[in-house]
Amino acid sequence: MSKKAVVLVTRKLPDAVEARLERDYDARFNSADRVYTSDELVEFSAGADAIIPCHTEKLTAAVIERLPDSVRAICSFSVGFDHIDLDAAKARGIIVTNTPDVLSDATAEIAMLLILGAARRAHEGEQQIRTATWSDWSAIGGLGIQVTGKRLGILGMGRVGQILAKRARGFDMQIHYHNRSRLSPDIEAGAIYHGSVEQLLPQCDFLSLHCPATPETERLMNAERLGLLPDGAILVNTARGTIVDDDALIEALRSGKLFAAGLDVFNNEPDIDPRYKALDNTFLLPHIGSATRETRDAMGFRALDNLDAITAGREPPDRLA
C-alpha cells in the first residue's frame, strides 16, 4: 500500500479519529452515517486499500468474496468480530484486526448499570416520574432486589468480566465465574471458578454475560440453562444478543422465574423483539457499552494503529486473520 492508502470508512467516526484519517489517508467517509447494504460495501470499496467497518456491517463470506482485489485489510472499529468471516478473509489474503482492551472499562460500567437498574426497577421508577403516575411514597412500593452482598456469576472472565468483578467487589458481591480456562490466583482475586456453565448457573443471584459470539455460544442461554438459575435471579447481557434465546428469556421473565433482565445487546438490532419493550421487568439500553467519548476515540485510534502498521509493512498489533 502507498503512504496515502485509500480507506473506506463505513460509519461516521469521532471527529478526532476522522481528522487523523483525513491527515494520513485518502479516506472515503460516510457523512450520512447510515448502514451500507452489501452491494454498497462492494461498490464503495472499488479501488480501496482497506476498510474500517463497525459491527453493523456484515462482512460475510459472500461479501468478502465480492470485494475488489485492491482491498488488503479490514480494520474493524470493534472488539467483537462475529460480523466478519475470518476464514473468507484468510482465503482472500485480507488482514483483519479489531480493537481490544480499550473498551473494557466502559463496557463494565454499563454492565454494572444494568445490574443496578434491573435490580432496583429503574425503568418502572423513571416511567412513574415521566408519566406523573407517582402518587406518593409507599413502604411497599417499588421494591427491588438489593445488590450488596449477592452472588454475581460472570460467564466469560476476559477483560470486561475481570473489570466488572473488580467493580462488583465494591458492592461486597461474591464473584463466581466460568471461563474456557481457569485464571491464575492473582487474577481470580478470590473469585470462585466453576468448570462448566451448568455448574456456575445455580450459584448466580445475578448472571452477567461476557463470552464472545461464536457458533458454540449461539443461544447458549436457552430454556434449559435459564432453568438452572435460582428463582428470582437477574440476567445481564453486554456481550452479544445471539448468546440469548429470546423466546426462553422472555418466558422466564413473564413467568417470574427471573426477577428482571438488563440488556444492552439484542438479536436483530435495532429491530429487537418487541416483547422486551412490553415487559416492566426489563431494563433496556441501545448497545451503548462502549459509548463514552474517551472510549470511542480510543477505539478509532486503535483501529488506525493497526492500519498504520499494515500500510508500513509491519505486523498489526491486533491481527485476527
Side-chain angles (χ1 to χ4, degrees):
M1 297 182 189
S2 65
K3 184 178 181 182
K4 281 283 188 179
V6 178
V7 181
L8 174 64
V9 186
T10 65
R11 298 298 301 272
K12 181 76 175 71
L13 299 183
D15 289 345
V17 178
E18 290 198 344
R20 180 171 155 186
L21 269 161
E22 193 165 31
R23 182 194 69 193
D24 297 338
Y25 295 95
D26 181 1
R28 299 173 180 173
F29 294 117
N30 180 356
S31 57
D33 197 29
R34 65 179 179 83
V35 179
Y36 291 151
T37 66
S38 296
D39 287 342
E40 287 175 325
L41 276 173
V42 174
E43 177 187 350
F44 298 159
S45 298
D49 298 291
I51 302 173
I52 297 182
C54 297
H55 76 277
T56 49
E57 284 70 59
K58 308 306 179 187
L59 288 153
T60 62
V63 172
I64 290 174
E65 286 170 4
R66 295 173 57 202
L67 290 177
D69 291 339
S70 61
V71 175
R72 307 312 305 154
I74 298 171
C75 299
S76 189
F77 183 90
S78 66
V79 64
F81 48 88
D82 51 300
H83 58 298
I84 304 172
D85 191 306
L86 298 183
D87 290 335
K90 289 177 184 177
R92 288 287 309 272
I94 297 173
I95 298 172
V96 181
T97 65
N98 65 340
T99 61
D101 301 322
V102 293
L103 50 71
S104 302
D105 283 296
T107 304
E109 288 177 0
I110 287 294
M112 200 69 228
L113 173 62
L114 291 172
I115 288 170
L116 292 166
R120 299 303 300 270
R121 300 171 62 176
H123 160 69
E124 294 172 83
E126 189 195 33
Q127 285 298 106
Q128 288 179 19
I129 296 291
R130 292 187 181 277
T131 60
T133 54
W134 180 36
S135 57
D136 196 3
W137 182 88
S138 169
I140 58 172
L143 298 181
I145 302 294
Q146 190 155 304
V147 172
T148 302
K150 294 300 194 303
R151 299 172 298 175
L152 170 63
I154 298 176
L155 182 51
M157 198 65 143
R159 301 174 186 89
V160 180
Q162 291 170 34
I163 294 172
L164 175 62
K166 183 177 180 180
R167 304 290 181 260
R169 290 186 184 99
F171 288 86
D172 295 325
M173 300 188 85
Q174 183 185 75
I175 310 301
H176 296 252
Y177 78 98
H178 170 68
N179 204 44
R180 284 174 293 184
S181 57
R182 184 170 185 172
L183 304 178
S184 60
D186 59 317
I187 297 177
E188 270 189 346
I192 300 169
Y193 174 72
H194 299 271
S196 69
V197 176
E198 289 73 18
Q199 291 172 353
L200 169 69
L201 296 178
Q203 310 304 319
C204 303
D205 300 312
F206 293 81
L207 174 66
S208 191
L209 305 179
H210 298 283
C211 49
T214 66
E216 292 72 31
T217 62
E218 185 171 354
R219 295 188 180 182
L220 178 69
M221 294 309 302
N222 55 22
E224 181 180 356
R225 291 193 178 92
L226 289 171
L228 296 176
L229 289 166
D231 291 345
I234 291 173
L235 180 142
V236 163
N237 189 7
T238 57
R240 283 290 188 266
T242 56
I243 299 168
V244 172
D245 182 321
D246 287 336
D247 289 335
L249 178 55
I250 288 165
E251 176 56 31
L253 291 166
R254 283 176 170 172
S255 69
K257 168 63 181 178
L258 296 184
F259 179 80
L263 307 174
D264 184 48
V265 291
F266 305 87
N267 286 295
N268 303 314
E269 296 177 8
D271 300 319
I272 72 171
D273 193 314
R275 293 175 293 174
Y276 283 123
K277 304 174 190 178
L279 292 169
D280 288 332
N281 57 345
T282 55
F283 185 59
L284 310 175
L285 296 175
H287 201 147
I288 59 171
S290 64
T292 68
R293 295 175 181 177
E294 298 89 344
T295 296
R296 292 287 169 83
D297 278 353
M299 290 172 66
F301 296 149
R302 187 81 174 227
L304 292 182
D305 289 345
N306 282 297
L307 183 56
D308 289 349
I310 294 167
T311 57
R314 304 191 309 270
E315 179 67 16
D318 304 308
R319 184 170 184 157
L320 299 168

